[in-house]
Amino acid sequence: MTEVMEELALANRILAHEGVLDAFGHVSVRHPTDPGRYLLSRSRSPLLIEPDDILEYTLDSEPVRPAKAHLYAERVIHGCIYQARSDVMAVCHHHAPAVMPFAIAGKPIVPVFHLGATMGEDMPFWDQYDEFGDTNLLVVKQEEGHSLARALGEHNAVLMNRHGATVVGGGAKELVSRSIFMCQNADYQLRALALGVPQPLHRGEIKLAGAINLLPNVVTRTWEYWSMRLEAAGGMPPRRSSAKAARRPMPKSSRVTPRERRKGRRR
Amino acid sequence: MTEVMEELALANRILAHEGVLDAFGHVSVRHPTDPGRYLLSRSRSPLLIEPDDILEYTLDSEPVRPAKAHLYAERVIHGCIYQARSDVMAVCHHHAPAVMPFAIAGKPIVPVFHLGATMGEDMPFWDQYDEFGDTNLLVVKQEEGHSLARALGEHNAVLMNRHGATVVGGGAKELVSRSIFMCQNADYQLRALALGVPQPLHRGEIKLAGAINLLPNVVTRTWEYWSMRLEAAGGMPPRRSSAKAARRPMPKSSRVTPRERRKGRRR
Amino acid sequence: MTEVMEELALANRILAHEGVLDAFGHVSVRHPTDPGRYLLSRSRSPLLIEPDDILEYTLDSEPVRPAKAHLYAERVIHGCIYQARSDVMAVCHHHAPAVMPFAIAGKPIVPVFHLGATMGEDMPFWDQYDEFGDTNLLVVKQEEGHSLARALGEHNAVLMNRHGATVVGGGAKELVSRSIFMCQNADYQLRALALGVPQPLHRGEIKLAGAINLLPNVVTRTWEYWSMRLEAAGGMPPRRSSAKAARRPMPKSSRVTPRERRKGRRR
Amino acid sequence: MTEVMEELALANRILAHEGVLDAFGHVSVRHPTDPGRYLLSRSRSPLLIEPDDILEYTLDSEPVRPAKAHLYAERVIHGCIYQARSDVMAVCHHHAPAVMPFAIAGKPIVPVFHLGATMGEDMPFWDQYDEFGDTNLLVVKQEEGHSLARALGEHNAVLMNRHGATVVGGGAKELVSRSIFMCQNADYQLRALALGVPQPLHRGEIKLAGAINLLPNVVTRTWEYWSMRLEAAGGMPPRRSSAKAARRPMPKSSRVTPRERRKGRRR
């Protein structure tokens, strides 16, 4: 569990450092051994999340153990999607600047470059107003979460009207790369409009290119890159408390700072 | 008072670090116990303001105590609004890049996403030229300040032709989040234009979503996030001189740097 | 002279740090006591310039003392303008990203906000091809420099076709703020196009607002702000060698780093 | 060889730090003494590459010595171009955000400013689909690499449909500056569209300006600038292991950090 919590804290911070999350947004993973539970931080900005902030929730989005901390109001997004999609192991809800023009204009993001294909061929658009009328647009009720999960269906992501997006994955690393590549895709698609209406990849290309971010040499490369960028900015999460008590050595991948490496310390 | 001055210095620096203020712009708060006075820095770029720079002004924008320092030429913006709006406890005047296209084109910023609703349903547009003819566009005379305050009316913000914007709030934290979310909204609205003319939230949504940034778990989360970003950049303001003399411990929230936290020191 | 050279090195670095200069571009000042000479660095990227890099040139752009270092190929821009304009005390040539769309499209940058008025009401457009046919677009011959100076005339800046811009000022600080505000103006003007064709300030406003960046409290504020941003990034120039030998104390304005200030050391 | 490997690591990191490469993209150089081989890193994000990561390949893109590390799937791009173009000494494949709108819209990047002329007068556009139908868009087969090399022909760069670009040069430094200036050109061309359809330089200007980045004072200036920016960010590569064993002093150009320089240590 320590490893899972540390990876989840790192995933939050990577997505914040890469511009997907800001003061808002949250990332969860399904419990590694109990599919009826999920792990999510207490209410805190993702860039600051530590392993000790991670709480365990039932799929009804109730904390398993009583918690004194503020909880994310929108945690039902996570619980309702885990209920509806047994294949989903990780969920990210965000308001990334790159996707906001599409969420506001109600226009689809389509895969316009090979890495964007990880989003899938198309993406549903959900408007909370259609079913619930005037709200503050936050997804806080079970029925709102279920409605969003229905709209998501079997897709990899769903746009939320004037609000943001929710992305799912088969694990934390797949989720992180899908969320980042979807933002890059949205940015490129928007800027390409100045040159003409961009066309999506061919359907067969989407299927084939959609698997690139699962290739072992790609996963290794991207995770190392995003982690080192975070580390260079001084943003790596601390170890989990109990782990620290046990005085285990730092994981090899985060032991050497860029400065130390420059000075010649080898990994 | 020390706490108020330290929060005001921090508010200035947060807004500068988040791109709302630059070499220019200023933030004030109404005096916590005397509603006939307000607090504003001497003339200085907001990113550099220290608690000791904060001066006390009457609502006629005269310094309460004689000051040797340069004063902001546009401090009447603050005094005139505090005179006109007893509910306003904090004022920010800025030229944020995000709002400038709207201030220049004379087009309204409307709430296009949930957090932008904090601006309110609409925003007046004030052109100094209408009443005062050729000026250098700075708001430096009492009658200019009063004219701007009249244009603001009961709204949360006012656009100023080819100059910038002025935003008000019920306190420093509300003002900071409103100013930041208004800039995000302007940025999203402008970029969404490439996809079609963006429509505002429904009127009922604006009312409900406009209160999100007053939710306790939101205020806690955003203030911690913006403070930590500023701290990571080495930009936290120093303590107030007299406070330091008393050798009070640092406030808990700013005691641990990200580097120290990474190394495992717990809060 | 030491002070002039240190200010010129600082001006170069500020303009580079604020995004006006990059690997290219250069800034000169007229010699403080001999109007027939000017000061300009050896060929070096502006962010890296040190006081010891500064060389003295005649207005024919010949180094006064034999120099081993590479010289800027385009130094005739400076010499020819100092010959033509006795009021000009500082010159900056740059390819700032903000002005490039205008230099490429051949469209005028006009003052669309109060600080942009420092550019003046209009700005000539010079195309080297008109007089010299095919060249590599660098201004390296005396006749090319004189042609550019003629195009500049009595204006504050000139756009150069598919190349960049040259800006002049009554001193280094005026030049720095004019160059930065002109870039901000160009950026705002371009982005405002998405909302309609932006109109310039009224003629009388341009005259009045054009003097804002000469106000003492504005000069103090902007110079402190840009210097501290540079310092926070670790980019302040070293002292001049001979000055260091004399072991003079650091100037007050650059003695305390943001980190030290945060820890409570007072100026 | 140590020097070549260190320069190649540095070239990778400069291009990553300047925004041409990100988690993806790769840079190779032809072997300095054996034109039938080339040097390329193991599969790793360019910002992190160290001299010890560099492997030697045949022009069939087989590693000369057995390698345990992951290899770049797309290394055939390099091998096939070195086979087809004996004048090419360095190759960069990238997905820079600046070029993606053009790669997606299928519109040409043309030289619109003097430094952009290094791309040459025009640039072919290659669509993997034309010859190979549905793929994941990665160039991984020999026949795909040969097809791309044929499309490149005698040009300096080729756009790749919905994927990115490949750029070639007569050496690592020429390649680095060409790659950076091509991205700047693409950015300026796209933004200039808001003002009208930008025209390219005259044909004669392209030829003359295309050689600017080979001028000695330009090469010296740009390489120093990009290296120091990388160094200031803590990103310089470590020395090669064997070199370190020999305890050779650091090369002069990278010995002094900006901080040390600021404190007055002279080079």
Side-chain angles (χ1 to χ4, degrees), chain B residues 13 21-26 42-45 47-48 50 52 70-73 95 97-98 100-102 104-105 107 129 133-138 162-163 190 193 231 234-239 241 244 257, chain C residues 111-115 181 184 187-189 191-192 194-196 198-206 208-209 212 215-218 220-222 224-226 228-229 232 258-259 261-267:
Chain B
R13 289 175 178 233
L21 306 171
D22 48 23
F24 299 99
H26 17 84
R42 67 177 174 98
S43 176
R44 197 172 197 194
S45 287
L47 192 61
L48 309 173
E50 310 182 4
D52 289 345
H70 284 300
L71 307 182
Y72 288 127
H95 323 147
M100 292 308 290
F102 296 90
I104 286 165
K107 294 289 168 63
Y129 187 85
D134 285 332
T135 65
N136 67 0
L137 278 82
L138 298 182
R162 305 181 198 292
H163 180 166
L190 194 77
L193 275 169
E231 188 177 347
M236 288 296 277
R239 307 295 315 282
S241 301
K244 276 190 308 232
T257 67
Chain C
V112 294
F113 85 123
H114 62 312
L115 296 169
F181 297 150
Q184 290 181 350
D187 174 50
Y188 301 161
Q189 185 178 343
R191 289 193 295 119
L195 296 161
Q199 298 302 312
L201 302 186
H202 298 285
R203 187 168 298 183
E205 289 176 328
I206 295 172
L208 293 166
I212 290 175
L215 297 173
N217 74 338
V218 169
T220 305
R221 201 189 324 174
T222 52
E224 183 192 25
Y225 174 65
W226 292 321
M228 288 300 291
R229 276 167 57 93
R259 178 173 299 271
R261 177 165 307 124
R262 189 163 42 118
K263 288 187 180 162
R265 237 168 91 179
R266 305 300 306 174
R267 292 192 299 173

Side-chain angles (χ1 to χ4, degrees), chain C:
Chain C
M1 280 298 286
T2 289
E3 200 174 316
V4 174
M5 287 177 172
E6 289 181 356
E7 185 179 72
L8 181 54
L10 183 54
N12 270 280
R13 289 175 178 232
I14 284 175
L15 286 171
H17 191 250
E18 298 297 326
V20 177
L21 306 171
D22 48 23
F24 299 98
H26 17 84
V27 185
S28 69
V29 292
R30 197 187 285 268
H31 192 288
T33 57
D34 180 353
R37 294 185 177 177
Y38 69 91
L39 303 171
L40 177 70
S41 171
R42 66 178 175 98
S43 176
R44 196 172 197 194
S45 287
L47 192 62
L48 309 173
I49 289 173
E50 310 182 3
D52 289 345
D53 293 324
I54 310 290
L55 304 174
E56 210 174 314
Y57 290 94
T58 65
L59 297 197
D60 290 328
S61 298
E62 293 300 323
V64 170
R65 280 170 287 276
K68 286 185 197 165
H70 283 301
L71 306 182
Y72 288 127
E74 295 191 299
R75 61 193 185 276
V76 295
I77 294 175
H78 302 264
C80 292
I81 289 175
Y82 288 121
Q83 285 180 44
R85 288 276 298 271
S86 61
D87 61 315
V88 166
M89 300 303 285
V91 175
C92 172
H93 168 61
H94 68 78
H95 323 149
V99 309
M100 292 308 290
F102 296 89
I104 286 164
K107 294 289 168 64
I109 304 177
V110 297
V112 294
F113 85 123
H114 62 312
L115 296 169
T118 181
M119 300 184 299
E121 193 175 329
D122 47 35
M123 188 181 301
F125 192 90
W126 180 72
D127 186 352
Q128 193 161 343
Y129 187 85
D130 291 342
E131 203 169 328
F132 303 98
D134 285 334
T135 64
N136 66 1
L137 277 84
L138 298 182
V139 181
V140 296
K141 296 181 183 165
Q142 291 290 342
E143 56 264 38
E144 292 166 341
H146 289 309
S147 172
L148 177 67
R150 277 193 305 274
L152 172 67
E154 297 303 310
H155 293 87
N156 289 336
V158 54
L159 277 178
M160 300 157 76
N161 192 32
R162 306 181 199 291
H163 180 165
T166 298
V167 186
V168 301
K173 287 179 178 170
E174 182 184 341
L175 179 76
V176 165
S177 57
R178 176 169 292 142
S179 300
I180 291 173
F181 297 150
M182 176 175 154
C183 287
Q184 290 181 350
N185 191 99
D187 174 50
Y188 301 161
Q189 185 178 343
L190 194 78
R191 289 193 295 119
L193 275 169
L195 296 161
V197 177
Q199 298 302 312
L201 302 186
H202 298 285
R203 187 168 298 183
E205 289 176 328
I206 295 172
K207 204 176 170 85
L208 293 166
I212 290 175
N213 71 330
L214 300 176
L215 297 173
N217 74 338
V218 169
V219 174
T220 305
R221 201 189 324 174
T222 52
W223 197 256
E224 183 192 25
Y225 174 65
W226 292 321
S227 298
M228 288 300 291
R229 276 167 57 93
L230 179 66
E231 187 177 348
M236 288 296 278
R239 306 296 314 282
R240 199 182 167 202
S241 302
S242 57
K244 277 189 308 228
R247 295 190 173 278
R248 294 194 320 178
M250 288 285 280
K252 200 176 174 186
S253 69
S254 60
R255 212 183 297 158
V256 185
T257 67
R259 178 173 299 271
E260 287 167 332
R261 177 165 307 124
R262 189 163 42 118
K263 288 187 180 162
R265 237 168 91 179
R266 305 300 306 174
R267 292 192 299 173

